[in-house]
Amino acid sequence: MRLPQPIIELVRRAILDLLTEIGGEHNDDVVARWLVGVGHRVARREVRDQLRWLHSQDLVSLEEVGPYLVARVLADGRDVSNGLMTVDGISRHKTGD
């Protein structure tokens, strides 16, 4: 199921917020479970797709480790999460605000 664009933008922001808050990196499985925990019903496949999109915007780096996709937030991704930078396709509203 394809998510509506406004939801995708919220999910992208939530991913950046999570990575920033936890010290910078985690794998797609943990990110997917965290998103469900904060109210975003998102499949792991969708999380992987959004991580790849964030990577294409130079906001995260990605590394395949076994069955996992490990994302590491980059400086611009932290700036988006901290409200210092905006990127089309990512919600301006911080997760939980």
Side-chain angles (χ1 to χ4, degrees):
M1 176 174 91
R2 184 75 178 143
L3 297 172
Q5 188 62 28
I7 301 300
I8 288 172
E9 292 178 9
L10 288 170
V11 167
R12 290 172 180 163
R13 177 59 188 259
I15 290 170
L16 290 176
D17 290 346
L18 166 69
L19 292 173
T20 298
E21 289 172 18
I22 61 151
E25 75 178 70
H26 230 302
N27 69 58
D28 60 307
D29 186 58
V30 170
V31 172
R33 285 188 277 138
W34 181 83
L35 288 170
V36 169
V38 296
H40 295 290
R41 292 183 46 131
V42 183
R44 186 169 163 210
R45 176 184 300 207
E46 184 68 34
V47 171
R48 291 173 72 88
D49 289 347
Q50 297 315 315
L51 286 171
R52 287 186 182 101
W53 186 90
L54 292 167
H55 176 70
S56 75
Q57 304 300 307
D58 295 321
L59 301 173
V60 300
S61 65
L62 296 178
E63 179 182 0
E64 297 225 16
V65 179
Y68 301 106
L69 190 60
V70 176
R72 185 172 297 114
V73 69
L74 300 175
D76 283 351
R78 281 191 298 276
D79 284 348
V80 170
S81 179
N82 291 323
L84 303 173
M85 183 175 152
T86 60
V87 173
D88 287 339
I90 299 177
S91 175
R92 293 180 181 200
H93 302 285
K94 189 154 187 76
T95 304
D97 289 348

